[in-house]
Amino acid sequence: MKLASLHTGQDLILNNVPYRLIRMLEDGQCQLERKSDLALSSYTKHELLGFIGSGVIILGGQESITVAATVENNRRLESDLSAYPEKMQQEANYKYSYVKRADDLLGENVNRVRLPKVIKLVADENNDPHPPSPFTVRLWWKNWIKADRSIIALIKNKRGPKNKRRIIKELEQLLQQLVEEVYLKPEGNSVNDVYEALARKIKALNVNRNTPLAIPGRATIYRYVATYDEYLVMAARKGKQAADKHFRATGRGPEPKYILERAEVDHTPLDLLIIDDLTGLTIGRPTVTFILDRFSRLPLGFEIGFEPPSELAVMRALRHAILPKNYVAEQYPDVECLWLAYGIMVTLVCDNGLEFHSEQLKRMCAELNIEIIYCPKKQPHYKGAIERFLGTFNRQLSHKIAGTTFSSISERGDYDSENLASMTLAEFKKLLHVWLIDVYSQAKHKSLGITPALAWQDGLKIIEPILPESKEKLDLILAVQKARKLNHEGVQFKGLMYNSAELAVLRKRGIASVTIRINPEDLGAIWVFDEQQGDYFTVPCTYSEYADKLTLAQHLLIRQQANQTSSERVDVDLYQRGKEKLRQLIAMANSSKQLSQRKKAARYNSKDLQQTPFSSNALPEKIKKPSDDDYQSADIPDFDVDSKEVDHA
């Protein structure tokens, strides 16, 4: 995936017209030059960021803004890592773990002298028993840099002459063995002893070889031994205690040098009970996922809802964190200040929850050039900024609203949280934006000495945040990938059919299966990968009146109610009736006496699902109990469906 930032000379497409950013003034004004006739246009930087967030602008060089249109004017998106076989993806991610860490720690000084420490660090973290050599990692790194840090550059290519590589490898293995047997011993043998032992071994090998091996120079052996990790060398020669004392850690936590260098993510249940805006009954405590910039302590983005901590919640928070926040002025006019945070972070620090170990999440972060770092056990300081922020968030906001649950039972005492709850989720989101942007971000931070907003502005003087080339490409990255068969009806996903003229072209080429990408928050269309063109195109659902704006979680629940759990195609009318019944089940669950039922109803509810005549004026008390006569099974499952059964992957 191509990444870019707003800077002078940047090529971009605005409303399908190619421009170049020719000037950025100190007051925030930006001048664009239209490429067709050199006409000038002026926008503020804030306006341009808003265009990026709304999908109006595509960033990139001339090669990335060439629009390939079809008869349906379906713009194509270039391929990413998921377009390659699983084995090649795993190999690329393996190489990326070494290359990214080397680039972060060594910068431009990635060489074979400094690399062994980095290789050992990554190998220990990943339990890699056979780490690559410094020579190999440096070669990977150079290819990665030449490709503008694209992970695609790490896909395995054809190798050079095998004979030459085999001889080099044989010498290196022999030398490694001698270093361990001679030099890495407490007897104190010298590097010269290693050289002499190697020379004797090579002479013995040459007796039985047609092509004799050349004996390396003495200086070459000294340089090679110097690449070994200094800690390991001292531990082997002088003992672990001496090495630990010499290389002892200072005890300070990681301190980033610029904004977006390090972001921390975590979940927390909100210390507040939320009510339903229709029934006025308590729903429960939502879960909040925040991503915080460590350098400025400014929140980059968040997700709040009734989903438990999950891969989907992290994906939503990532999207919110990366895109500019120009929506605030329109949706929350009471907010006075700007939420300036946006951009792709360099590293994302998280705990060891299952949602953070998701293969989909790892792939998304790799394509965005985000390195995932897992917090070591028993080291709370490693992710302390986000944990302290979440505590501040609940104390300063949640605990001051009617319906708060406080932090503990002892603190809550006799306070009747459920009966005193009075705030809907929409109202809380508004209050959250006011607190976050106008209060927390503008208050002096104890660790910084200035406000998070000022710290972010200072950080902008050092670097310009990196963005995806377009909102559509970011949506493609933050989607799930599946393989599906292709026939005359198109492709099928969970009983839904997707078809277009472009799919018919693929069938005429003899293609029988395709790779698809699904947005779990909108099943109205999917992306399909064209192997010949090397890009993606969108394909609409043939049941658009049912699938548009329908989430994957809602669809899976409807399928379960309709007793259609197989992958066979079903009558769309059955799904449409199931969609109507889901609305009624949600409405009845909203007024259930059980809090758990009301919370699960909120999890599956959405504005788009309720935009029907059914929900216009009817209150839950007036809803006629739905009949099961029109359904295939008389035994409709209870709405109490555990969230783990909903497959977001």
Side-chain angles (χ1 to χ4, degrees):
M1 174 180 175
K2 292 184 176 65
L3 307 177
S5 61
L6 280 177
H7 59 82
T8 303
Q10 173 70 63
D11 290 321
L12 53 89
I13 283 185
L14 174 59
N15 289 323
N16 296 322
V17 178
Y19 284 87
R20 173 168 293 163
L21 178 56
I22 61 171
R23 192 173 291 108
M24 294 182 68
L25 305 178
E26 292 184 359
D27 61 357
Q29 288 292 322
C30 301
Q31 288 189 340
L32 303 183
E33 180 182 76
R34 191 163 57 203
K35 291 193 172 184
S36 60
D37 56 5
L38 305 184
L40 298 179
S41 300
S42 181
Y43 298 92
T44 66
K45 183 179 178 180
H46 188 67
E47 288 175 327
L48 292 181
L49 291 174
F51 293 155
I52 294 173
S54 60
V56 177
I57 276 184
I58 304 172
L59 297 176
Q62 185 62 41
E63 69 280 358
S64 67
I65 62 175
T66 302
V67 179
T70 65
V71 291
E72 300 175 358
N73 197 28
N74 188 354
R75 191 171 67 82
R76 299 227 174 189
L77 300 174
E78 65 177 10
S79 65
D80 50 33
L81 186 62
S82 65
Y84 293 88
E86 182 68 25
K87 185 176 181 180
M88 298 180 75
Q89 292 184 41
Q90 293 175 356
E91 182 179 3
N93 282 319
Y94 171 79
K95 295 178 181 179
Y96 180 78
S97 64
Y98 286 95
V99 167
K100 186 66 167 61
R101 186 62 65 86
D103 191 68
D104 290 341
L105 297 179
L106 304 179
E108 297 180 356
N109 298 317
V110 176
N111 53 56
R112 282 184 283 178
V113 175
R114 296 173 176 265
L115 275 173
K117 293 182 180 180
V118 178
I119 293 172
K120 179 183 181 302
L121 178 65
V122 178
D124 289 345
E125 291 177 351
N126 298 336
N127 295 321
D128 184 4
H130 305 292
S133 68
F135 176 86
T136 301
V137 174
R138 175 166 168 75
L139 182 63
W140 294 343
W141 177 80
K142 290 174 66 176
N143 292 335
W144 182 66
I145 292 296
K146 288 180 182 178
D148 293 329
R149 290 179 163 81
S150 171
I151 194 173
I152 303 301
L154 301 178
I155 295 294
K156 185 176 181 180
N157 295 319
K158 293 183 179 180
R159 297 185 175 182
K162 291 186 177 180
N163 290 337
K164 184 177 180 181
R165 281 187 171 272
R166 186 158 51 242
I167 294 174
I168 294 174
K169 186 174 182 180
E170 184 176 351
L171 275 178
E172 186 170 5
Q173 289 177 341
L174 178 59
L175 182 54
Q176 286 178 355
Q177 179 184 350
L178 291 174
V179 170
E180 293 175 2
E181 293 177 353
V182 178
Y183 186 68
L184 299 181
K185 295 292 183 181
E187 288 78 8
N189 295 322
S190 65
V191 179
N192 187 62
D193 294 328
V194 176
Y195 169 76
E196 292 178 352
L198 178 64
R200 290 194 297 269
K201 287 283 188 180
I202 292 177
K203 289 178 181 178
L205 289 174
N206 286 340
V207 173
N208 299 316
R209 292 182 62 92
N210 294 327
T211 305
L213 294 170
I215 299 176
R218 198 181 305 269
T220 301
I221 305 304
Y222 273 86
R223 285 195 297 268
Y224 182 84
V225 174
T227 64
Y228 272 68
D229 184 270
E230 296 177 12
Y231 173 85
L232 293 179
V233 171
M234 181 172 288
R237 292 171 63 84
K238 297 184 178 181
K240 185 176 184 299
Q241 185 176 358
D244 288 340
K245 183 178 180 180
H246 183 77
F247 293 98
R248 63 186 181 274
T250 62
R252 294 186 59 190
E255 292 295 336
K257 302 297 187 296
Y258 52 87
I259 58 173
L260 297 171
E261 179 186 359
R262 181 183 180 90
E264 299 177 3
V265 59
D266 207 353
H267 317 278
T268 185
L270 193 66
D271 289 347
L272 180 69
L273 293 175
I274 295 296
I275 67 169
D276 182 81
D277 56 1
L278 179 63
T279 66
L281 297 176
T282 304
I283 301 174
R285 298 169 62 189
T287 298
V288 185
T289 303
F290 264 106
I291 300 179
L292 184 79
D293 176 58
R294 177 65 182 260
F295 177 86
S296 65
R297 302 303 201 275
L298 187 66
L300 298 172
F302 70 88
E303 163 61 18
I304 180 170
F306 292 94
E307 285 275 351
S310 63
E311 171 191 309
L312 183 61
V314 180
M315 290 163 50
R316 289 171 175 170
L318 264 178
R319 178 184 285 107
H320 188 227
I322 291 171
L323 292 176
K325 314 298 189 295
N326 293 60
Y327 72 90
V328 174
E330 179 181 350
Q331 297 183 19
Y332 305 107
D334 293 336
V335 177
E336 296 182 8
C337 302
L338 296 176
W339 191 356
L340 300 175
Y342 69 93
I344 300 173
M345 63 286 305
V346 177
T347 58
L348 184 65
V349 184
C350 54
D351 57 34
N352 286 278
L354 292 177
E355 68 274 15
F356 296 116
H357 285 275
S358 159
E359 291 301 322
Q360 289 281 356
L361 182 62
K362 291 179 182 178
R363 187 262 308 162
M364 294 170 189
C365 287
E367 290 169 5
L368 290 168
N369 266 343
I370 298 173
E371 179 186 9
I372 299 180
I373 298 179
Y374 297 101
C375 182
K377 295 180 180 179
K378 299 182 180 180
Q379 295 190 31
H381 66 278
Y382 208 79
K383 194 166 58 72
I386 184 65
E387 293 179 355
R388 288 189 294 272
F389 169 79
L390 292 176
T392 302
F393 161 70
N394 269 321
R395 286 193 305 272
Q396 293 190 6
L397 189 61
S398 304
H399 294 180
K400 297 182 179 180
I401 302 174
T404 178
T405 61
F406 296 99
S407 300
S408 63
I409 296 177
S410 59
E411 187 179 357
R412 183 161 66 246
D414 295 331
Y415 187 82
D416 191 351
S417 302
E418 182 170 348
N419 289 328
L420 291 174
S422 60
M423 182 165 287
T424 67
L425 187 59
E427 291 171 339
F428 180 78
K429 285 183 178 179
K430 176 181 177 180
L431 195 61
L432 171 57
H433 280 83
V434 173
W435 174 82
L436 193 155
I437 301 171
D438 288 347
V439 180
Y440 171 81
S441 299
Q442 309 305 321
K444 183 177 179 180
H445 194 282
K446 182 178 179 180
S447 299
L448 301 174
I450 57 175
T451 68
L454 286 176
W456 180 269
Q457 293 180 43
D458 290 344
L460 288 175
K461 299 175 184 177
I462 303 174
I463 67 163
E464 183 69 28
I466 301 297
L467 286 164
E469 63 184 55
S470 67
K471 180 179 180 296
E472 186 179 5
K473 188 58 188 285
L474 180 62
D475 290 339
L476 177 64
I477 292 295
L478 299 179
V480 295
Q481 179 244 335
K482 301 286 183 181
R484 285 295 183 270
K485 294 181 180 179
L486 176 62
N487 57 35
H488 67 282
E489 293 182 305
V491 296
Q492 180 187 164
F493 175 71
K494 301 297 184 183
L496 299 177
M497 297 301 301
Y498 296 83
N499 208 350
S500 69
E502 290 169 302
L503 274 184
V505 173
L506 296 187
R507 284 191 65 247
K508 290 178 181 178
R509 295 185 200 156
I511 296 176
S513 62
V514 290
T515 298
I516 66 173
R517 302 292 293 277
I518 306 103
N519 182 354
E521 302 190 69
D522 185 1
L523 299 182
I526 61 173
W527 290 280
V528 175
F529 181 63
D530 185 341
E531 291 185 0
Q532 186 175 35
Q533 298 293 331
D535 55 17
Y536 289 88
F537 58 90
T538 56
V539 179
C541 180
T542 57
Y543 316 141
S544 59
E545 69 281 2
Y546 166 80
D548 283 351
K549 305 299 181 183
L550 189 73
T551 70
L552 178 58
Q554 291 168 342
H555 174 61
L556 293 177
L557 192 59
I558 291 170
R559 278 169 60 84
Q560 185 178 4
Q561 293 167 2
N563 199 23
Q564 291 290 327
T565 57
S566 69
S567 60
E568 298 178 359
R569 182 182 176 187
V570 298
D571 184 359
V572 68
D573 292 335
L574 181 64
Y575 277 0
Q576 199 67 32
R577 294 196 301 273
K579 188 175 181 180
E580 177 62 25
K581 184 161 188 178
L582 178 60
R583 296 187 186 100
Q584 298 182 22
L585 286 170
I586 288 174
M588 288 188 292
N590 278 339
S591 55
S592 170
K593 293 182 180 180
Q594 297 182 5
L595 182 62
S596 61
Q597 290 291 295
R598 300 199 295 270
K599 185 173 182 178
K600 288 177 181 177
R603 184 182 306 162
Y604 291 101
N605 202 4
S606 66
K607 290 182 179 179
D608 295 295
L609 182 68
Q610 299 301 337
Q611 287 178 351
T612 65
F614 159 76
S615 61
S616 59
N617 297 309
L619 293 175
E621 299 85 56
K622 300 179 182 179
I623 297 172
K624 181 181 178 182
K625 185 176 181 180
S627 171
D628 295 335
D629 295 340
D630 295 332
Y631 294 88
Q632 289 191 354
S633 172
D635 185 17
I636 300 298
D638 183 75
F639 185 73
D640 189 5
V641 178
D642 188 84
S643 61
K644 292 182 180 178
E645 296 179 6
V646 180
D647 178 18
H648 291 301

